[in-house]
């Protein structure tokens, strides 16, 4: 990565390995090239699939793109709207189990800690989009601090 004063990152991106994206890893890499993205976290739903392919395409194209292994994890915790809370995790080694019968908040945090990953809180106040909401977010932050887990809070989502 070359030295400069400004870097661009997209830390919440899906590709065809996620239920809500038709984009191929190649299309995602091309969009990063066009937008001069330096850091890309591939955060597919409940899987780290698609990260290696994305990284390989970027390398084959000679792009100076750092591809971060991430996941958007569906937990077993319901937000005030009755939706399962989604969390992000960055720098994973393996998939954290998620889905309709996802892990509890504590189990998810323990798995993030075990993998020395960073916790991400996505679309936190959009309850209809599986955001945590204020009370759960406060609990997440307090517990993550106790467990010495770094937190990244998403404040802008292109939707």
């Amino acid at each position: 990565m070359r030295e400069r004063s400004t870097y661009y990152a997209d830390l919440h991106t899906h590709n065809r390995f996620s239920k809500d994206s038709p984009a191929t890893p190649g299309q995602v890499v091309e969009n990063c090239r066009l937008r001069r993205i330096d850091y890309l976290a591939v955060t597919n739903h409940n899987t780290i699939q698609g990260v290696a392919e994305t990284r390989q395409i970027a390398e084959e194209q000679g792009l100076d793109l750092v591809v971060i292994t991430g996941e958007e994890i569906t937990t077993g915790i319901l937000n005030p709207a009755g939706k399962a809370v989604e969390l992000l995790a960055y720098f994973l080694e393996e998939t954290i189990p998620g889905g309709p019968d996802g892990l509890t908040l504590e189990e998810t945090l323990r798995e993030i800690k075990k993998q020395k990953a960073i916790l991400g809180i996505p679309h936190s106040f959009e309850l209809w989009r599986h955001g945590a909401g204020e009370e759960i977010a406060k609990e997440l932050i307090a517990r993550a601090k106790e467990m010495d887990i770094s937190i990244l809070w998403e404040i802008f989502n292109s939707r």
Side-chain angles (χ1 to χ4, degrees):
M1 185 67 52
R2 60 193 175 280
E3 290 288 324
R4 59 177 199 251
S5 62
T6 303
Y7 295 89
Y8 297 96
D10 186 338
L11 299 177
H12 187 169
T13 301
H14 304 304
N15 60 39
R16 68 181 170 84
F17 292 92
S18 197
K19 65 183 180 188
D20 58 352
S21 176
T24 66
Q27 289 169 322
V28 171
V29 169
E30 177 62 10
N31 281 329
C32 288
R33 186 189 67 76
L34 292 171
R35 288 165 180 78
R36 298 185 179 137
I37 300 292
D38 302 295
Y39 296 89
L40 172 71
V42 178
T43 55
N44 288 322
H45 286 271
N46 304 312
T47 187
I48 61 170
Q49 279 190 297
V51 176
E53 186 177 342
T54 303
R55 186 176 291 123
Q56 179 181 348
I57 291 167
E59 288 172 4
E60 287 171 356
Q61 293 183 11
L63 295 181
D64 201 11
L65 176 65
V66 176
V67 179
I68 298 164
T69 302
E71 178 184 354
E72 187 162 13
I73 307 156
T74 303
T75 71
I77 305 301
L78 298 181
N79 70 15
K83 303 279 187 179
V85 172
E86 294 174 341
L87 299 175
L88 296 168
Y90 302 99
F91 303 102
L92 293 174
E93 299 290 325
E94 56 189 48
T95 296
I96 295 175
D101 300 318
L103 301 175
T104 66
L105 183 65
E106 187 68 23
E107 291 167 332
T108 303
L109 290 175
R110 274 199 304 256
E111 188 62 32
I112 289 170
K113 175 74 175 175
K114 182 176 106 181
Q115 294 193 42
K116 298 180 176 98
I118 294 174
L119 167 66
I121 304 174
H123 37 74
S124 54
F125 297 108
E126 295 174 340
L127 300 180
W128 59 276
R129 292 186 58 218
H130 302 269
E134 186 173 357
E135 292 307 311
I136 295 172
K138 284 180 181 177
E139 183 182 342
L140 268 168
I141 291 167
R143 191 66 188 112
K145 283 182 176 182
E146 288 171 11
M147 295 174 74
D148 197 30
I149 297 172
S150 296
I151 304 166
L152 190 151
W153 193 310
E154 181 180 85
I155 58 170
F156 176 78
N157 186 289
S158 65
R159 282 192 178 174

